[in-house]
Amino acid sequence: DLYESTNSGTTSISRGSPEEGRWVTPMDMDENGSRLVAGYTDLYEFTFAGAGSWNQLSTFSFPDQLRTIEIFPGTSNIIFVGTNFKVYKTANNGVSFIDITGNISSTDIITSIEVNPTNEDELWVTLGGWNAANHVYHTIDGGSNWNNITGTLPNLPCNIVKYDPSGNGGIFVGTDIGVYFRDNITGT
């Protein structure tokens, strides 16, 4: 269940859940409004207005429960989601989705999606698992072509990727043992 606190956790209110989710249910706060988007077998939003309510956004037949969610800050209608081995994009708030997985390795589980906050076509995806050659992928064309930018990362599961907006195309990659940085200058 989702719990909400307005007093730093002293008390909380149960907001329930629309269905049973993963052990760690993927969620993303919408920077453009007062809603939380969460992934189960479908995509849902929780709106905080009034008493709050869950609303189903999608009825797409994903191959398994959603694992990661990323809302594009430029417009809330664009949302990226990941299942175990697939990446999808909706440009209409979950009404329809397209598969943008392309040439991302299908041997390891997708753990994170990150979108450039000013360019919906630039994305990064991390993979878990122990496949030394496949941990981080990058696209600049909305997923038509993905480049493996794993480089010299140690052979460890990668759990999250975050974009560094300060310049030079930098990203931080969180692994099981530490955080690594790469940008267009260092290239590693």
Side-chain angles (χ1 to χ4, degrees):
D1 282 2
L2 175 68
Y3 288 86
E4 178 185 11
S5 175
T6 57
N7 56 13
S8 303
T10 303
T11 60
S12 61
I13 302 166
S14 174
R15 298 302 192 166
S17 66
E19 61 182 76
E20 191 168 316
R22 290 190 178 274
W23 177 255
V24 177
T25 300
M27 298 180 184
D28 196 14
M29 265 318 274
D30 186 349
E31 295 179 19
N32 302 307
S34 60
R35 71 175 184 158
L36 174 78
V37 176
Y40 297 88
T41 55
D42 278 305
L43 197 62
Y44 291 84
E45 69 178 356
F46 182 84
T47 55
F48 291 92
S53 64
W54 286 102
N55 305 303
Q56 187 172 353
L57 297 178
S58 69
T59 57
F60 189 78
S61 295
F62 296 106
D64 30 58
Q65 283 189 325
L66 299 180
R67 194 169 270 288
T68 184
I69 297 170
E70 177 76 3
I71 301 170
F72 177 57
T75 174
S76 299
N77 287 333
I78 298 173
I79 304 170
F80 300 91
V81 299
T83 61
N84 285 342
F85 304 107
K86 297 281 188 181
V87 179
Y88 299 91
K89 175 185 179 181
T90 177
N92 52 19
N93 201 39
V95 174
S96 62
F97 285 85
I98 57 170
D99 183 342
I100 61 168
T101 307
N103 62 316
I104 295 175
S105 171
S106 64
T107 59
D108 294 304
I109 290 177
I110 293 167
T111 55
S112 178
I113 301 169
E114 179 77 348
V115 62
N116 179 328
T118 61
N119 180 0
E120 70 182 83
D121 290 329
E122 185 171 27
L123 297 132
W124 295 264
V125 169
T126 55
L127 304 177
W130 300 94
N131 187 343
N134 297 306
H135 288 300
V136 185
Y137 284 82
H138 176 238
T139 182
I140 57 171
D141 59 14
S144 294
N145 299 286
W146 291 90
N147 296 308
N148 183 341
I149 60 168
T150 300
T152 59
L153 278 173
N155 186 14
L156 295 165
C158 290
N159 303 311
I160 192 163
V161 59
K162 286 297 179 188
Y163 176 71
D164 178 9
S166 65
N168 298 322
I171 58 169
F172 293 92
V173 176
T175 71
D176 279 0
I177 63 163
V179 177
Y180 294 83
F181 178 79
R182 169 198 169 100
D183 67 14
N184 293 334
I185 295 172
T186 62
T188 57

